[in-house]
Amino acid sequence: FVYRRDLRSSAAWREGVAAFWVMALGAALSLIWQTYHLPSEWTLFFLLWALLSLPVVYLMDSLVAMALYLVVASVWSLSAVDVFHGSETVNFYWVLLGAAVPMAVMRRRADADSAGSAFVFWLLAMSLCVGTGVSLAALSHGSDDLIALIIALVATSAVAVSRLAFHQLTQPWKDPFGLFGGLTIFILALVLSFESPWGSNLEGEIGSWLFTGVAAVIWLGLSWLVLQGGRMGPVGILLLAFPVVLLADLAFSMVSFRGDIAVFLYNLYLLALGVLLIWDGARRASLSLANAGLLVVAVHLLVRLFDSDIPFTLKGILFILVGVGFLGANFAIVKKRRQTRSDVPEPPTTTSS
């Protein structure tokens, strides 16, 4: 009653009371644990704390309570990896994470472009990384190729969520799913562009294949929704097709027992990704997109250069040329943006007699 009468309209009171409530739940649980000498498995303690804190998130409509809930749930999942190593018990973290999704949906519908909504989305994106990590730790019997496929499916699903939920945002930092997904795909493609990761096969237990199947179904569903809405440009389609490229290369390497062609295709993939980002940034006069494309090309080029046996002087010259390319591209885009603004006619001014 007091909350509905006095606190609901005040964000400061609401967040403060919610934070105190969650912390008080943890203190009460620890006191009960010590008083009645309950088993010293701290994984059970954090799980109960997370479950008791979840109603507070929705009763108080609190971002701080949601942050504390996700932190406690993440601590439980990390501790459960150590206690239940090799067990699918840690995958219960996805249930805990899914329980916080309706809060994010409500925040997005209320005000998708606010700092509070961005805070919620960043929490969920980081929790997605934690969940993927603990699930991969539980699937320790899977091969490296199967783990790479799971990471690719999760990353491309994050990109699809980005295009479905955040396509209208103008500030990239408010789209954590797109940033995390794109960065993960780039790093994974960069690792696979070397010959050393290739040569194994898709091996795993039933749990590994079940997790992969669920991730594949989610990726297919999100991809269909994005493509049906026509919200994917060339860059998005290339990112979304990453698991297909990975599966094709894995199939070819297992049939031919050669990884050199797969390495060539991934180098070509990275080059195409960088060029498309630069082209899209130049077309939209977007410095962030153009710099992202230049960074993809530059990192790829520099990694290949320092991995090769060419003279050190030539490596230095090419390194300088990469920097000159950054400056030139930024100068050209800034000039185009100024010309676009100067071409916009000013509204006519009216004078009163």
Side-chain angles (χ1 to χ4, degrees), residues 54-142:
L54 181 60
V56 181
V57 176
Y58 292 95
L59 287 174
M60 302 298 291
D61 190 21
S62 170
L63 297 179
V64 175
M66 181 177 177
L68 293 173
Y69 164 76
L70 290 175
V71 168
V72 173
S74 300
V75 172
W76 169 80
S77 66
L78 295 174
S79 63
V81 170
D82 183 53
V83 175
F84 304 108
H85 184 68
S87 172
E88 284 75 18
T89 306
V90 296
N91 288 325
F92 185 72
Y93 178 75
W94 294 106
V95 178
L96 298 177
L97 181 58
V101 171
M103 178 69 171
V105 174
M106 290 188 293
R107 280 285 174 172
R108 181 188 175 278
R109 290 178 177 176
D111 189 2
D113 206 24
S114 66
S117 297
F119 178 70
V120 171
F121 300 143
W122 274 99
L123 286 174
L124 286 177
M126 290 186 286
S127 301
L128 179 65
C129 296
V130 174
T132 306
V134 297
S135 295
L136 291 178
L139 305 177
S140 56
H141 300 291

Coordinates of all heavy atoms in Angstrom, one line a residue, residues 54-142:
L54 N 13.5 -12.5 -7.5 CA 12.8 -12.3 -8.8 C 11.5 -11.5 -8.6 O 11.2 -10.6 -9.4 CB 12.6 -13.6 -9.5 CG 11.9 -13.6 -10.8 CD1 12.7 -12.7 -11.8 CD2 11.7 -15.0 -11.4
P55 N 10.6 -11.9 -7.6 CA 9.4 -11.1 -7.5 C 9.6 -9.6 -7.2 O 8.8 -8.8 -7.6 CB 8.7 -11.8 -6.3 CG 9.2 -13.2 -6.3 CD 10.7 -13.0 -6.7
V56 N 10.7 -9.3 -6.5 CA 11.0 -7.9 -6.2 C 11.2 -7.1 -7.5 O 10.8 -5.9 -7.6 CB 12.3 -7.8 -5.3 CG1 12.6 -6.4 -5.0 CG2 12.1 -8.6 -4.1
V57 N 11.8 -7.7 -8.5 CA 12.1 -7.0 -9.8 C 10.8 -6.5 -10.4 O 10.7 -5.4 -10.8 CB 12.8 -8.0 -10.8 CG1 13.0 -7.3 -12.1 CG2 14.1 -8.4 -10.2
Y58 N 9.7 -7.3 -10.3 CA 8.4 -7.0 -11.0 C 7.5 -6.2 -10.0 O 6.8 -5.3 -10.5 CB 7.7 -8.2 -11.4 CG 8.4 -8.9 -12.6 CD1 9.3 -9.9 -12.4 CD2 8.3 -8.4 -13.9 CE1 10.0 -10.5 -13.4 CE2 8.9 -9.0 -15.0 CZ 9.8 -10.1 -14.7 OH 10.5 -10.7 -15.8
L59 N 7.6 -6.5 -8.7 CA 6.8 -5.7 -7.8 C 7.2 -4.3 -7.7 O 6.4 -3.3 -7.6 CB 6.8 -6.4 -6.4 CG 6.1 -7.7 -6.2 CD1 6.4 -8.2 -4.8 CD2 4.6 -7.4 -6.4
M60 N 8.5 -4.0 -7.7 CA 9.1 -2.7 -7.6 C 9.4 -2.0 -9.0 O 9.7 -0.8 -9.0 CB 10.3 -2.7 -6.7 CG 10.1 -3.3 -5.4 SD 8.9 -2.3 -4.4 CE 9.8 -0.8 -4.1
D61 N 9.3 -2.8 -10.0 CA 9.6 -2.3 -11.4 C 11.0 -1.6 -11.3 O 11.2 -0.5 -11.8 CB 8.6 -1.3 -11.9 CG 8.7 -0.9 -13.3 OD1 9.4 -1.7 -14.1 OD2 8.2 0.1 -13.7
S62 N 12.0 -2.4 -10.8 CA 13.3 -1.8 -10.5 C 14.4 -2.3 -11.4 O 14.5 -3.5 -11.5 CB 13.6 -2.1 -9.0 OG 14.9 -1.7 -8.7
L63 N 15.2 -1.4 -11.9 CA 16.4 -1.8 -12.7 C 17.5 -2.3 -11.8 O 18.2 -3.2 -12.2 CB 16.8 -0.6 -13.5 CG 15.9 -0.1 -14.6 CD1 16.5 1.1 -15.3 CD2 15.5 -1.2 -15.6
V64 N 17.6 -1.7 -10.6 CA 18.7 -2.1 -9.7 C 18.4 -3.5 -9.2 O 19.3 -4.3 -9.1 CB 18.8 -1.1 -8.5 CG1 19.8 -1.6 -7.5 CG2 19.2 0.3 -9.0
A65 N 17.2 -3.8 -8.9 CA 16.8 -5.1 -8.4 C 17.1 -6.1 -9.5 O 17.5 -7.3 -9.3 CB 15.3 -5.2 -8.0
M66 N 16.8 -5.8 -10.8 CA 17.0 -6.7 -11.9 C 18.5 -6.9 -12.0 O 19.0 -8.1 -12.3 CB 16.5 -6.1 -13.2 CG 16.7 -7.0 -14.4 SD 15.9 -6.3 -15.9 CE 16.4 -7.6 -17.1
A67 N 19.3 -5.9 -11.9 CA 20.8 -6.0 -12.0 C 21.3 -7.0 -10.9 O 22.1 -7.8 -11.1 CB 21.5 -4.7 -11.9
L68 N 20.8 -6.8 -9.7 CA 21.3 -7.6 -8.5 C 20.8 -9.1 -8.8 O 21.5 -10.0 -8.5 CB 20.7 -7.1 -7.2 CG 21.3 -5.7 -6.8 CD1 20.5 -5.2 -5.5 CD2 22.8 -5.9 -6.5
Y69 N 19.6 -9.2 -9.3 CA 19.1 -10.6 -9.6 C 19.9 -11.3 -10.6 O 20.3 -12.5 -10.4 CB 17.6 -10.5 -10.1 CG 17.1 -11.7 -10.7 CD1 16.7 -12.8 -10.0 CD2 17.0 -11.8 -12.1 CE1 16.3 -14.0 -10.6 CE2 16.6 -12.9 -12.7 CZ 16.2 -14.0 -12.0 OH 15.8 -15.2 -12.6
L70 N 20.3 -10.6 -11.7 CA 21.1 -11.2 -12.7 C 22.5 -11.5 -12.2 O 23.2 -12.5 -12.5 CB 21.2 -10.3 -13.9 CG 19.9 -10.2 -14.7 CD1 20.0 -9.2 -15.9 CD2 19.5 -11.6 -15.3
V71 N 23.1 -10.6 -11.3 CA 24.4 -10.9 -10.7 C 24.4 -12.1 -9.9 O 25.2 -13.0 -9.9 CB 24.9 -9.6 -10.0 CG1 26.1 -10.0 -9.1 CG2 25.2 -8.5 -10.9
V72 N 23.3 -12.2 -9.0 CA 23.2 -13.4 -8.1 C 23.0 -14.7 -8.9 O 23.7 -15.7 -8.6 CB 22.1 -13.2 -7.1 CG1 21.8 -14.5 -6.3 CG2 22.4 -12.0 -6.2
A73 N 22.2 -14.6 -10.0 CA 22.0 -15.8 -10.8 C 23.3 -16.2 -11.5 O 23.6 -17.4 -11.7 CB 20.9 -15.5 -11.8
S74 N 24.0 -15.2 -12.0 CA 25.3 -15.5 -12.7 C 26.3 -16.1 -11.7 O 27.0 -17.0 -12.1 CB 25.9 -14.2 -13.3 OG 25.0 -13.6 -14.2
V75 N 26.4 -15.6 -10.5 CA 27.3 -16.2 -9.5 C 26.9 -17.6 -9.2 O 27.7 -18.5 -9.1 CB 27.2 -15.4 -8.2 CG1 28.0 -16.1 -7.1 CG2 27.8 -14.0 -8.4
W76 N 25.5 -17.9 -9.1 CA 25.1 -19.3 -9.0 C 25.6 -20.2 -10.1 O 26.1 -21.3 -9.9 CB 23.6 -19.4 -8.9 CG 23.1 -20.8 -8.9 CD1 23.1 -21.7 -7.9 CD2 22.7 -21.5 -10.1 NE1 22.7 -22.9 -8.4 CE2 22.4 -22.8 -9.7 CE3 22.5 -21.1 -11.4 CZ2 21.9 -23.8 -10.6 CZ3 22.0 -22.1 -12.3 CH2 21.7 -23.4 -11.9
S77 N 25.4 -19.7 -11.3 CA 25.8 -20.5 -12.5 C 27.3 -20.8 -12.5 O 27.7 -21.9 -12.8 CB 25.4 -19.8 -13.8 OG 26.1 -18.6 -14.0
L78 N 28.1 -19.8 -12.2 CA 29.5 -20.0 -12.2 C 29.9 -21.0 -11.1 O 30.9 -21.8 -11.3 CB 30.3 -18.6 -12.0 CG 30.1 -17.7 -13.2 CD1 30.7 -16.3 -12.8 CD2 30.7 -18.2 -14.4
S79 N 29.3 -20.9 -9.9 CA 29.6 -21.8 -8.8 C 29.1 -23.2 -9.2 O 29.7 -24.2 -8.8 CB 29.0 -21.3 -7.5 OG 27.6 -21.3 -7.6
A80 N 28.0 -23.3 -9.9 CA 27.4 -24.6 -10.3 C 28.3 -25.3 -11.3 O 28.3 -26.5 -11.3 CB 26.0 -24.4 -10.8
V81 N 29.0 -24.6 -12.1 CA 29.9 -25.2 -13.0 C 31.0 -26.0 -12.3 O 31.4 -27.1 -12.7 CB 30.6 -24.2 -13.9 CG1 31.7 -24.8 -14.7 CG2 29.6 -23.6 -14.9
D82 N 31.4 -25.5 -11.2 CA 32.5 -26.1 -10.4 C 31.9 -27.3 -9.6 O 32.5 -28.4 -9.5 CB 33.1 -25.1 -9.4 CG 34.2 -25.7 -8.6 OD1 35.1 -26.3 -9.2 OD2 34.2 -25.7 -7.3
V83 N 30.6 -27.2 -9.1 CA 30.0 -28.2 -8.3 C 29.5 -29.3 -9.2 O 29.6 -30.5 -8.9 CB 28.9 -27.6 -7.4 CG1 28.2 -28.8 -6.6 CG2 29.5 -26.6 -6.4
F84 N 28.8 -28.9 -10.3 CA 28.1 -29.9 -11.1 C 28.9 -30.0 -12.5 O 28.2 -29.9 -13.5 CB 26.7 -29.5 -11.4 CG 25.9 -29.3 -10.1 CD1 25.5 -28.0 -9.7 CD2 25.5 -30.4 -9.4 CE1 24.7 -27.9 -8.6 CE2 24.7 -30.2 -8.3 CZ 24.4 -29.0 -7.8
H85 N 30.1 -30.1 -12.4 CA 30.9 -30.1 -13.7 C 30.5 -31.3 -14.6 O 30.5 -32.4 -14.1 CB 32.4 -30.2 -13.3 CG 33.3 -30.1 -14.5 ND1 33.5 -29.0 -15.3 CD2 34.1 -31.0 -15.1 CE1 34.3 -29.2 -16.3 NE2 34.7 -30.4 -16.2
G86 N 30.3 -30.9 -15.8 CA 29.9 -31.9 -16.8 C 28.4 -32.3 -16.7 O 27.9 -33.2 -17.4
S87 N 27.6 -31.5 -15.9 CA 26.2 -31.8 -15.7 C 25.4 -30.7 -16.4 O 25.8 -29.6 -16.5 CB 25.8 -31.9 -14.2 OG 24.4 -32.0 -14.1
E88 N 24.2 -31.1 -16.9 CA 23.3 -30.2 -17.5 C 22.5 -29.3 -16.5 O 21.7 -28.5 -16.8 CB 22.3 -30.9 -18.4 CG 22.8 -31.4 -19.7 CD 23.7 -32.6 -19.6 OE1 23.6 -33.3 -18.6 OE2 24.5 -32.9 -20.5
T89 N 22.8 -29.5 -15.2 CA 22.2 -28.7 -14.1 C 22.4 -27.2 -14.3 O 21.5 -26.4 -14.1 CB 22.6 -29.2 -12.7 OG1 22.4 -30.6 -12.6 CG2 21.9 -28.4 -11.7
V90 N 23.6 -26.9 -14.8 CA 23.9 -25.4 -15.0 C 23.0 -24.8 -16.0 O 22.9 -23.5 -16.0 CB 25.4 -25.3 -15.3 CG1 26.3 -25.8 -14.2 CG2 25.7 -26.0 -16.6
N91 N 22.4 -25.6 -16.9 CA 21.6 -25.0 -17.9 C 20.3 -24.4 -17.3 O 19.5 -23.7 -18.1 CB 21.2 -26.0 -19.0 CG 22.4 -26.3 -19.9 OD1 23.3 -25.5 -20.2 ND2 22.5 -27.6 -20.3
F92 N 20.0 -24.6 -16.1 CA 18.9 -24.0 -15.4 C 19.1 -22.5 -15.4 O 18.1 -21.7 -15.2 CB 18.7 -24.5 -14.0 CG 17.5 -24.0 -13.3 CD1 16.3 -24.4 -13.6 CD2 17.7 -23.0 -12.2 CE1 15.1 -23.9 -13.0 CE2 16.5 -22.5 -11.6 CZ 15.3 -23.0 -11.9
Y93 N 20.3 -22.0 -15.6 CA 20.6 -20.6 -15.7 C 19.7 -19.9 -16.8 O 19.3 -18.8 -16.7 CB 22.1 -20.3 -15.9 CG 22.4 -18.9 -16.1 CD1 22.5 -18.0 -15.0 CD2 22.7 -18.3 -17.3 CE1 22.8 -16.7 -15.1 CE2 23.0 -17.0 -17.5 CZ 23.1 -16.2 -16.4 OH 23.4 -14.8 -16.5
W94 N 19.5 -20.7 -17.9 CA 18.7 -20.1 -19.0 C 17.2 -19.8 -18.5 O 16.6 -18.9 -19.0 CB 18.7 -21.0 -20.2 CG 20.1 -21.2 -20.8 CD1 20.9 -22.2 -20.7 CD2 20.7 -20.2 -21.6 NE1 22.1 -22.0 -21.4 CE2 22.0 -20.7 -21.9 CE3 20.4 -18.9 -22.0 CZ2 22.9 -20.0 -22.7 CZ3 21.3 -18.2 -22.8 CH2 22.5 -18.7 -23.1
V95 N 16.7 -20.7 -17.6 CA 15.4 -20.4 -17.0 C 15.4 -19.1 -16.2 O 14.5 -18.3 -16.3 CB 14.9 -21.6 -16.2 CG1 13.6 -21.4 -15.6 CG2 14.9 -22.9 -17.0
L96 N 16.5 -19.0 -15.4 CA 16.6 -17.8 -14.6 C 16.7 -16.5 -15.5 O 16.1 -15.5 -15.2 CB 17.8 -17.9 -13.7 CG 17.8 -19.0 -12.6 CD1 19.1 -19.0 -11.8 CD2 16.6 -18.8 -11.7
L97 N 17.5 -16.7 -16.6 CA 17.6 -15.5 -17.5 C 16.3 -15.2 -18.2 O 16.0 -14.1 -18.4 CB 18.8 -15.9 -18.5 CG 19.1 -14.8 -19.5 CD1 19.5 -13.5 -18.8 CD2 20.2 -15.2 -20.4
G98 N 15.6 -16.3 -18.6 CA 14.4 -16.1 -19.3 C 13.3 -15.4 -18.4 O 12.4 -14.7 -18.9
A99 N 13.4 -15.6 -17.1 CA 12.4 -15.0 -16.2 C 12.6 -13.5 -16.2 O 11.7 -12.8 -15.8 CB 12.6 -15.6 -14.8
A100 N 13.8 -13.0 -16.6 CA 14.0 -11.5 -16.6 C 13.7 -10.9 -17.9 O 13.7 -9.6 -18.0 CB 15.5 -11.2 -16.2
V101 N 13.4 -11.7 -19.0 CA 13.1 -11.1 -20.3 C 11.9 -10.3 -20.3 O 11.9 -9.2 -21.0 CB 13.1 -12.3 -21.3 CG1 12.6 -11.8 -22.7 CG2 14.5 -12.9 -21.5
P102 N 10.7 -10.7 -19.7 CA 9.6 -9.9 -19.7 C 9.8 -8.5 -19.2 O 9.2 -7.5 -19.7 CB 8.6 -10.6 -18.8 CG 9.0 -12.0 -18.9 CD 10.5 -12.0 -19.0
M103 N 10.7 -8.3 -18.2 CA 11.0 -7.0 -17.7 C 11.6 -6.1 -18.8 O 11.3 -4.9 -19.0 CB 12.0 -7.1 -16.5 CG 12.4 -5.8 -15.9 SD 11.1 -4.9 -15.1 CE 12.0 -3.6 -14.3
A104 N 12.5 -6.7 -19.6 CA 13.2 -6.0 -20.7 C 12.2 -5.6 -21.8 O 12.2 -4.6 -22.3 CB 14.3 -6.8 -21.2
V105 N 11.2 -6.6 -22.0 CA 10.2 -6.3 -23.0 C 9.3 -5.1 -22.6 O 9.0 -4.2 -23.4 CB 9.4 -7.5 -23.3 CG1 8.2 -7.2 -24.2 CG2 10.2 -8.6 -23.9
M106 N 9.0 -5.1 -21.3 CA 8.1 -4.0 -20.8 C 8.9 -2.6 -20.9 O 8.3 -1.6 -21.2 CB 7.7 -4.3 -19.4 CG 6.7 -5.4 -19.3 SD 6.0 -5.5 -17.6 CE 7.4 -6.1 -16.7
R107 N 10.2 -2.7 -20.6 CA 11.0 -1.5 -20.7 C 11.1 -1.0 -22.1 O 11.1 0.2 -22.4 CB 12.4 -1.8 -20.1 CG 12.5 -1.7 -18.6 CD 12.4 -0.3 -18.1 NE 12.3 -0.2 -16.6 CZ 12.4 0.9 -15.9 NH1 12.5 2.0 -16.6 NH2 12.2 0.9 -14.6
R108 N 11.3 -1.9 -23.0 CA 11.4 -1.5 -24.4 C 10.1 -0.9 -24.9 O 10.1 0.1 -25.7 CB 11.8 -2.7 -25.3 CG 11.9 -2.3 -26.8 CD 12.1 -3.5 -27.6 NE 12.2 -3.1 -29.0 CZ 11.1 -2.9 -29.8 NH1 9.9 -3.0 -29.3 NH2 11.2 -2.5 -31.1
R109 N 9.0 -1.4 -24.6 CA 7.7 -0.9 -25.0 C 7.4 0.5 -24.4 O 6.8 1.3 -25.0 CB 6.6 -1.8 -24.7 CG 6.6 -3.1 -25.5 CD 5.4 -4.1 -25.1 NE 5.4 -5.3 -25.9 CZ 4.6 -6.3 -25.7 NH1 3.7 -6.2 -24.7 NH2 4.6 -7.3 -26.5
A110 N 7.9 0.7 -23.1 CA 7.7 2.0 -22.5 C 8.6 3.0 -23.1 O 8.1 4.1 -23.4 CB 8.0 1.8 -21.0
D111 N 9.9 2.8 -23.2 CA 10.8 3.8 -23.8 C 12.0 3.1 -24.2 O 13.0 2.9 -23.5 CB 11.1 4.9 -22.8 CG 11.9 6.0 -23.4 OD1 12.1 6.0 -24.6 OD2 12.2 7.0 -22.7
A112 N 12.1 2.7 -25.5 CA 13.2 1.9 -26.0 C 14.5 2.7 -26.1 O 15.6 2.1 -26.1 CB 12.9 1.3 -27.4
D113 N 14.4 4.0 -26.2 CA 15.6 4.8 -26.5 C 16.2 5.5 -25.2 O 17.1 6.3 -25.3 CB 15.3 5.9 -27.5 CG 16.5 6.4 -28.2 OD1 17.4 5.6 -28.4 OD2 16.5 7.5 -28.7
S114 N 15.6 5.1 -24.0 CA 16.1 5.7 -22.8 C 17.4 5.0 -22.3 O 17.7 3.9 -22.7 CB 15.0 5.6 -21.7 OG 14.8 4.3 -21.4
A115 N 18.1 5.7 -21.4 CA 19.3 5.1 -20.8 C 18.9 3.9 -19.9 O 19.7 3.0 -19.8 CB 20.0 6.2 -19.9
G116 N 17.7 4.0 -19.2 CA 17.3 2.8 -18.4 C 17.1 1.6 -19.2 O 17.5 0.5 -18.8
S117 N 16.5 1.7 -20.4 CA 16.3 0.6 -21.3 C 17.6 0.0 -21.8 O 17.8 -1.2 -21.8 CB 15.4 0.9 -22.5 OG 14.1 1.3 -22.0
A118 N 18.5 0.9 -22.1 CA 19.9 0.5 -22.5 C 20.6 -0.3 -21.4 O 21.3 -1.3 -21.7 CB 20.7 1.7 -23.0
F119 N 20.4 0.1 -20.2 CA 21.0 -0.5 -19.0 C 20.5 -2.0 -18.9 O 21.2 -2.9 -18.7 CB 20.7 0.3 -17.8 CG 21.2 -0.4 -16.5 CD1 22.6 -0.4 -16.2 CD2 20.3 -0.9 -15.6 CE1 23.0 -1.0 -15.1 CE2 20.8 -1.5 -14.4 CZ 22.1 -1.5 -14.2
V120 N 19.1 -2.1 -19.1 CA 18.5 -3.5 -19.0 C 19.1 -4.3 -20.2 O 19.4 -5.5 -19.9 CB 17.0 -3.3 -19.2 CG1 16.4 -4.7 -19.3 CG2 16.4 -2.7 -17.9
F121 N 19.2 -3.8 -21.4 CA 19.6 -4.6 -22.5 C 21.1 -5.0 -22.3 O 21.5 -6.1 -22.7 CB 19.4 -3.8 -23.8 CG 18.0 -3.4 -24.1 CD1 17.7 -2.2 -24.6 CD2 17.0 -4.3 -23.7 CE1 16.3 -1.9 -24.9 CE2 15.6 -4.0 -24.0 CZ 15.3 -2.8 -24.5
W122 N 21.9 -4.1 -21.8 CA 23.3 -4.5 -21.6 C 23.4 -5.6 -20.5 O 24.2 -6.5 -20.6 CB 24.1 -3.2 -21.1 CG 24.6 -2.4 -22.2 CD1 24.1 -1.3 -22.8 CD2 25.8 -2.7 -23.0 NE1 24.8 -0.9 -23.8 CE2 25.9 -1.7 -24.0 CE3 26.8 -3.7 -23.0 CZ2 26.9 -1.7 -24.9 CZ3 27.8 -3.7 -23.9 CH2 27.9 -2.7 -24.9
L123 N 22.6 -5.5 -19.5 CA 22.6 -6.6 -18.5 C 22.2 -7.9 -19.1 O 22.9 -9.0 -18.9 CB 21.5 -6.3 -17.4 CG 21.9 -5.2 -16.4 CD1 20.7 -4.9 -15.5 CD2 23.1 -5.6 -15.6
L124 N 21.2 -7.9 -20.0 CA 20.8 -9.2 -20.6 C 21.9 -9.7 -21.6 O 22.1 -10.9 -21.7 CB 19.5 -9.0 -21.4 CG 18.2 -8.9 -20.5 CD1 17.0 -8.6 -21.4 CD2 18.0 -10.1 -19.7
A125 N 22.5 -8.8 -22.3 CA 23.6 -9.2 -23.3 C 24.7 -9.8 -22.5 O 25.3 -10.9 -22.9 CB 24.0 -8.0 -24.1
M126 N 25.1 -9.2 -21.4 CA 26.2 -9.8 -20.6 C 25.8 -11.1 -20.0 O 26.6 -12.0 -19.9 CB 26.7 -8.8 -19.5 CG 27.4 -7.6 -20.1 SD 28.1 -6.5 -18.9 CE 26.6 -5.7 -18.3
S127 N 24.6 -11.2 -19.6 CA 24.1 -12.5 -19.0 C 24.0 -13.5 -20.1 O 24.3 -14.7 -19.8 CB 22.7 -12.3 -18.4 OG 22.7 -11.3 -17.4
L128 N 23.7 -13.1 -21.3 CA 23.8 -14.1 -22.4 C 25.2 -14.7 -22.6 O 25.4 -15.9 -22.9 CB 23.3 -13.4 -23.7 CG 23.3 -14.3 -25.0 CD1 22.3 -15.4 -24.9 CD2 23.0 -13.4 -26.2
C129 N 26.2 -13.8 -22.5 CA 27.6 -14.3 -22.5 C 27.9 -15.3 -21.4 O 28.5 -16.3 -21.6 CB 28.5 -13.1 -22.5 SG 28.4 -12.0 -23.9
V130 N 27.4 -14.9 -20.2 CA 27.7 -15.8 -19.1 C 27.0 -17.2 -19.3 O 27.5 -18.2 -19.0 CB 27.1 -15.2 -17.8 CG1 27.2 -16.2 -16.6 CG2 27.9 -13.9 -17.4
G131 N 25.7 -17.1 -19.7 CA 25.0 -18.4 -20.0 C 25.6 -19.3 -21.0 O 25.7 -20.5 -20.9
T132 N 26.1 -18.6 -22.1 CA 26.8 -19.4 -23.1 C 28.1 -20.0 -22.6 O 28.4 -21.2 -22.8 CB 27.2 -18.5 -24.3 OG1 26.0 -17.9 -24.8 CG2 27.8 -19.3 -25.4
G133 N 28.8 -19.3 -21.8 CA 30.0 -19.8 -21.2 C 29.8 -21.0 -20.2 O 30.5 -22.0 -20.3
V134 N 28.8 -20.8 -19.3 CA 28.6 -22.0 -18.4 C 28.0 -23.2 -19.1 O 28.3 -24.3 -18.7 CB 27.6 -21.5 -17.3 CG1 28.3 -20.4 -16.4 CG2 26.3 -21.1 -17.8
S135 N 27.2 -23.0 -20.2 CA 26.7 -24.1 -20.9 C 27.9 -24.8 -21.7 O 27.9 -26.1 -21.7 CB 25.7 -23.7 -21.9 OG 24.5 -23.2 -21.2
L136 N 28.8 -24.0 -22.2 CA 29.9 -24.7 -22.9 C 30.8 -25.4 -21.9 O 31.4 -26.4 -22.2 CB 30.7 -23.6 -23.7 CG 30.0 -23.0 -24.9 CD1 30.9 -21.9 -25.5 CD2 29.7 -24.0 -25.9
A137 N 30.9 -24.8 -20.7 CA 31.7 -25.5 -19.7 C 31.1 -26.8 -19.3 O 31.8 -27.8 -19.0 CB 31.9 -24.6 -18.5
A138 N 29.8 -26.9 -19.3 CA 29.1 -28.1 -19.0 C 29.2 -29.1 -20.1 O 29.2 -30.3 -19.9 CB 27.6 -27.9 -18.7
L139 N 29.3 -28.6 -21.3 CA 29.5 -29.5 -22.5 C 30.9 -29.7 -22.8 O 31.4 -29.5 -23.9 CB 28.8 -28.9 -23.7 CG 27.3 -28.5 -23.5 CD1 26.7 -27.9 -24.7 CD2 26.5 -29.8 -23.1
S140 N 31.7 -30.1 -21.8 CA 33.2 -30.2 -22.0 C 33.6 -31.4 -22.9 O 34.7 -31.5 -23.3 CB 33.8 -30.4 -20.6 OG 33.3 -31.5 -19.9
H141 N 32.6 -32.3 -23.1 CA 32.9 -33.5 -24.0 C 32.7 -33.2 -25.5 O 33.0 -34.1 -26.3 CB 32.1 -34.7 -23.5 CG 32.3 -35.1 -22.1 ND1 33.5 -35.6 -21.7 CD2 31.5 -35.0 -21.0 CE1 33.4 -35.9 -20.4 NE2 32.2 -35.5 -19.9
G142 N 32.3 -32.0 -25.8 CA 32.1 -31.7 -27.2 C 33.4 -31.3 -27.9 O 34.3 -30.8 -27.2

